[in-house]
Amino acid sequence: MDPVSIYVGRQHSEKLRNQKIDHYTSIIEDNEPSLDTLVTMLAKLCNVPFAGISVVDEEMVWIKASYGIDATCLPREGAFCAAAIDSNQDLFIVENTTTDERFCKNSLVTDAPDIRFYAASPFLDEQDFAIGTLWIMDTSPRKPNEELSIILRSLAAFVVLTLEHHFKSEVTHLPNRSCFVRKLQALINNTSREVFVCSVNIQRLRYINNVFGKDATDYVLQVTGERLSKWSKTELIGDLGSGQFAFGIAMEGNDLCKYDFGSLLTELCQPITISGTTIAVTAIAGVATTFDKSASAAALVDMAELAANENPSIGVSKVNYFTTECDELTQNKISQDLVAALHNVDPNNALTPYYQPQVNMKTGLISGFEALLRWDCKAHRNVSIAQIFAVFDAMGVTPNVDLLIFEKVCADIAAWKAEGLTTKTISTNISRTTLQMPNLSDELLARLNQHALTTSDIYLEVTECGFQIDDHDTANYISSLQGAGFKIAIDDFGTGMSNIATLKDTDCHLLKIDRQFVHGISINPHIAALLRLIKGTADALNLKLLCEGVETQDDLDWLVNEGVYLIQGWYFSKAIHKNAVTTILKMPTSNQPNINIGLTKNLLRNVDKNLIR
């Protein structure tokens, strides 16, 4: 074999081994009671003054359990245990350290405790990587015998079984709760990034167990573990027991929104065939985030579980959000500060519209912006948009929020017009709760008049959130707004109440397709078929169509090839601050027809990152 190939292979093998070492150094605490008991028994059986269990990484030997010695770590270079690992032998023995040139100058030999004999048996993981050693030492030279060899080999194998029992689920072979919490704590301690934990509760297990038996229940858990591992793409995943799973990730860019937990539930809730019968499982996910390196991993897991089990409904899959500091006092503080922000009295605690660009692929131009709610408050940067809306919904103030953002959007449009800028199409959201307000049209028109604007300056997007309304009532509310001159877009089309049935009674100007009917469309024929159905409906009703959630070039190309030209999504940009919009509108290329799409994309990517949320 080519020497280079051998070298690369060894590098890869060592890299994998080091990953395993990181796992064991993080989960095995010093003085683990079960391991301490084991090494005490080892010392007594072999009649030696020193015994221990060590984990060996690239630079250090970590003594995880010991008898007769207090050291917790040693440099790897020149260490007995490192030599035992490197020997690739199942039993490594140094009969007399003073006559062995490898160790005669070792400080444990030349100084107290004057080691003269060392013997070790490496223990291996399930992939046969040597993780560490079970060892004994004596102050006198010794000749090994068969009994000592059997004891070392047998107890080294027992170390592996002990670790498996203490740190892995017997059913799924994933790390158990204890192991997961320890690894999560190591992640929190060793990263400057924000960390989130997602806890997943699989429902109906008791019914499955009663009808199909324990083997079937175990099979469901095994499948769930495999699906969760595939979706999360992280090694920090655990089986917490009783149908509870969890995984943790250090977030890139401190942005929880990029994780599509809805697709996780879709993955987990695919039907499973048991004994010839196909059954549907449901799952509830709870998400908790931490922003403090002193945070407790155990508390973070508890909060994620609390979120997952909040008001559970059998047969309903959903995602709930929590934060690590989400006790009653903190929840009250969040609610109080949100109410203060709603009254718009402190610029450092403000509800603010950020604007996500919409691009017309026919012209290559930015065709408009959607105003999206953001909370500018340094004290609560860890609070997700989903939690903000949940607080507003619980307090019943969603209409006040919608009207506040509408007014701020009007002020921004007026400011752009005052600078002589072409403002494109600006849309803002109106929830179904707000839609039911008496005299809503009058309230909106008053705010337009205040800023010398007309209904042609702004689109209203009717969103999914809010109370359920009968389709006929929805049509009447929308008709009232249209009668006042507003153009209406139906947001999140294809989900919940925003479906084809809504259109039979409702007139609107634009359909916005929810991201679940867009994301992955280039590779998923089922999504593609549904999008074609929606597009056919829009064409038949002479409605404009805009697709949200576009993130990849392949999905974009597919949509354009199908004649869908209005695009919104992270492929071009997240939501940007009004100052960034001003900069873009001032660009000489912003109104040139048939501009290259790449120029528009680069224009948006060059926006100051501090102005993007």
Side-chain angles (χ1 to χ4, degrees):
M1 183 180 290
D2 185 348
V4 174
S5 299
I6 295 174
Y7 174 72
V8 172
R10 286 175 178 168
Q11 279 192 317
H12 178 67
S13 178
E14 185 64 15
K15 181 180 180 181
L16 292 176
R17 194 188 84 85
N18 288 328
Q19 290 176 348
K20 295 291 184 179
I21 297 301
D22 289 341
H23 165 74
Y24 283 99
T25 54
S26 65
I27 68 170
I28 306 175
E29 294 183 342
D30 296 341
N31 306 120
E32 194 83 50
S34 59
L35 298 184
D36 276 347
T37 301
L38 185 63
V39 298
T40 299
M41 180 174 65
L42 173 64
K44 299 297 183 183
L45 288 173
C46 297
N47 193 27
V48 293
F50 309 109
I53 294 172
S54 298
V55 175
V56 183
D57 67 15
E58 289 179 289
E59 299 179 352
M60 303 294 292
V61 175
W62 302 93
I63 302 173
K64 292 297 184 177
S66 63
Y67 175 86
I69 191 169
D70 292 331
T72 57
C73 64
L74 298 167
R76 173 171 176 151
E77 185 175 359
F80 291 112
C81 293
I85 290 289
D86 294 337
S87 72
N88 292 319
Q89 299 173 3
D90 64 348
L91 192 64
F92 179 82
I93 296 176
V94 181
E95 296 181 9
N96 189 339
T97 60
T98 61
T99 60
D100 191 312
E101 62 181 14
R102 296 171 298 175
F103 306 110
C104 60
K105 296 182 180 179
N106 188 298
S107 60
L108 294 177
V109 177
T110 58
D111 303 319
D114 301 314
I115 300 301
R116 297 295 179 264
F117 173 81
Y118 173 88
S121 181
F123 55 88
L124 313 178
D125 74 345
E126 68 275 8
Q127 294 178 307
D128 291 333
F129 286 115
I131 300 302
T133 57
L134 176 78
W135 51 265
I136 57 173
M137 297 191 299
D138 203 345
T139 54
S140 301
R142 292 180 61 162
K143 289 285 185 181
N145 55 44
E146 185 65 22
E147 182 181 3
L148 183 145
S149 300
I150 291 173
I151 290 172
L152 281 171
R153 288 190 178 99
S154 299
L155 290 186
F158 191 71
V159 169
V160 176
L161 293 176
T162 300
L163 295 178
E164 290 284 316
H165 174 73
H166 279 287
F167 301 118
K168 279 195 174 182
S169 161
E170 294 182 6
V171 175
T172 62
H173 303 294
L174 292 172
N176 62 14
R177 178 182 292 272
S178 173
C179 178
F180 178 77
V181 169
R182 292 182 184 187
K183 293 183 72 175
L184 176 64
Q185 190 66 64
L187 175 63
I188 293 172
N189 294 342
N190 296 323
T191 183
S192 59
R193 292 180 288 170
E194 301 163 12
V195 175
F196 79 78
V197 168
C198 179
S199 173
V200 177
N201 180 11
I202 304 301
Q203 300 181 301
R204 295 176 171 161
L205 288 181
R206 181 166 61 90
Y207 303 100
I208 293 171
N209 190 72
N210 289 341
V211 175
F212 298 100
K214 184 179 182 302
D215 289 345
T217 305
D218 289 348
Y219 179 67
V220 171
L221 294 174
Q222 290 164 7
V223 171
T224 299
E226 292 168 1
R227 290 174 175 176
L228 191 59
S229 299
K230 176 183 175 182
W231 185 91
S232 64
K233 298 178 182 177
T234 176
E235 292 186 0
L236 184 48
I237 184 171
D239 179 349
L240 308 187
S242 302
Q244 294 275 150
F245 293 82
F247 65 90
I249 294 176
M251 287 184 279
E252 293 287 351
N254 302 335
D255 196 342
L256 192 62
C257 298
K258 67 184 277 189
Y259 296 95
D260 182 8
F261 295 106
S263 70
L264 166 63
L265 296 183
T266 300
E267 177 75 21
L268 295 181
C269 295
Q270 294 180 38
I272 298 175
T273 300
I274 301 174
S275 302
T277 301
T278 300
I279 65 171
V281 296
T282 53
I284 297 178
V287 181
T289 58
T290 181
F291 299 80
D292 186 350
K293 289 185 71 113
S294 65
S296 162
L300 185 60
V301 172
D302 286 345
M303 290 302 165
E305 288 185 304
L306 282 172
N309 290 288
E310 184 180 27
N311 301 320
S313 301
I314 294 295
V316 177
S317 295
K318 60 180 179 178
V319 181
N320 300 321
Y321 293 85
F322 230 116
T323 59
T324 51
E325 305 298 330
C326 229
D327 55 21
E328 184 177 356
L329 179 64
T330 303
Q331 278 292 84
N332 288 340
K333 177 62 174 171
I334 290 172
S335 300
Q336 291 166 4
D337 288 348
L338 278 172
V339 170
L342 190 56
H343 287 87
N344 203 28
V345 294
D346 183 357
N348 295 316
N349 177 30
L351 298 171
T352 307
Y354 274 59
Y355 297 88
Q356 187 171 33
Q358 300 163 338
V359 177
N360 187 324
M361 296 299 294
K362 272 189 174 181
T363 64
L365 292 173
I366 297 173
S367 59
F369 297 88
E370 179 186 0
L372 297 170
L373 171 71
R374 295 294 184 264
W375 189 17
D376 284 339
C377 182
K378 291 183 179 179
H380 298 296
R381 290 189 66 85
N382 57 328
V383 180
S384 69
I385 291 296
Q387 187 178 354
I388 291 170
F389 279 118
V391 171
F392 284 144
D393 186 54
M395 292 190 298
V397 296
T398 301
N400 304 74
V401 177
D402 286 348
L403 290 176
L404 175 64
I405 295 302
F406 181 88
E407 184 170 344
K408 290 191 173 187
V409 171
C410 289
D412 290 343
I413 295 173
W416 292 323
K417 283 180 173 288
E419 292 191 54
L421 301 175
T422 302
T423 58
K424 313 289 184 180
T425 298
I426 308 294
S427 61
T428 187
N429 293 312
I430 297 293
S431 74
R432 290 176 184 257
T433 302
T434 306
L435 204 59
Q436 300 171 80
M437 280 184 60
N439 305 315
L440 174 61
S441 297
D442 294 337
E443 293 279 357
L444 299 177
L445 289 172
R447 286 161 174 76
L448 286 174
N449 293 334
Q450 180 183 347
H451 295 282
L453 302 178
T454 69
T455 54
S456 62
D457 291 311
I458 197 164
Y459 253 84
L460 300 180
E461 293 192 19
V462 178
T463 66
E464 266 297 297
C465 64
F467 299 126
Q468 293 191 6
I469 313 173
D470 180 83
D471 288 339
H472 183 70
D473 290 336
T474 300
N476 288 336
Y477 293 130
I478 290 176
S479 178
S480 175
L481 291 173
Q482 288 177 320
F486 288 102
K487 291 185 177 180
I488 303 296
I490 300 296
D491 199 11
D492 305 319
F493 188 78
T495 67
M497 295 168 285
S498 296
N499 52 46
I500 291 177
T502 304
L503 299 180
K504 73 181 191 302
D505 297 313
T506 305
D507 290 327
C508 62
H509 299 84
L510 174 73
L511 295 183
K512 296 191 70 176
I513 308 304
D514 186 74
R515 72 180 311 277
Q516 68 176 286
F517 296 102
V518 175
H519 189 67
I521 196 169
S522 58
I523 58 175
N524 190 320
H526 301 289
I527 296 177
L530 290 171
L531 193 283
R532 288 190 179 105
L533 174 63
I534 294 172
K535 184 179 184 301
T537 302
D539 290 343
L541 296 174
N542 197 28
L543 299 176
K544 293 181 181 179
L545 200 64
L546 185 149
C547 284
E548 298 181 294
V550 178
E551 297 180 10
T552 69
Q553 183 70 56
D554 288 343
D555 287 349
L556 178 66
D557 291 342
W558 190 96
L559 290 166
V560 172
N561 188 59
E562 291 291 323
V564 179
Y565 299 110
L566 296 180
I567 304 296
Q568 180 178 334
W570 288 6
Y571 176 83
F572 286 106
S573 176
K574 296 182 181 180
I576 59 179
H577 190 270
K578 64 180 179 181
N579 293 345
V581 176
T582 302
T583 301
I584 289 172
L585 295 179
K586 288 181 178 179
M587 292 285 183
T589 57
S590 65
N591 291 302
Q592 292 179 10
N594 299 316
I595 190 171
N596 184 279
I597 291 294
L599 293 178
T600 295
K601 190 173 182 181
N602 289 333
L603 175 68
L604 292 169
R605 286 191 169 178
N606 287 329
V607 171
D608 184 344
K609 291 183 179 179
N610 293 320
L611 300 178
I612 300 175
R613 288 185 68 184

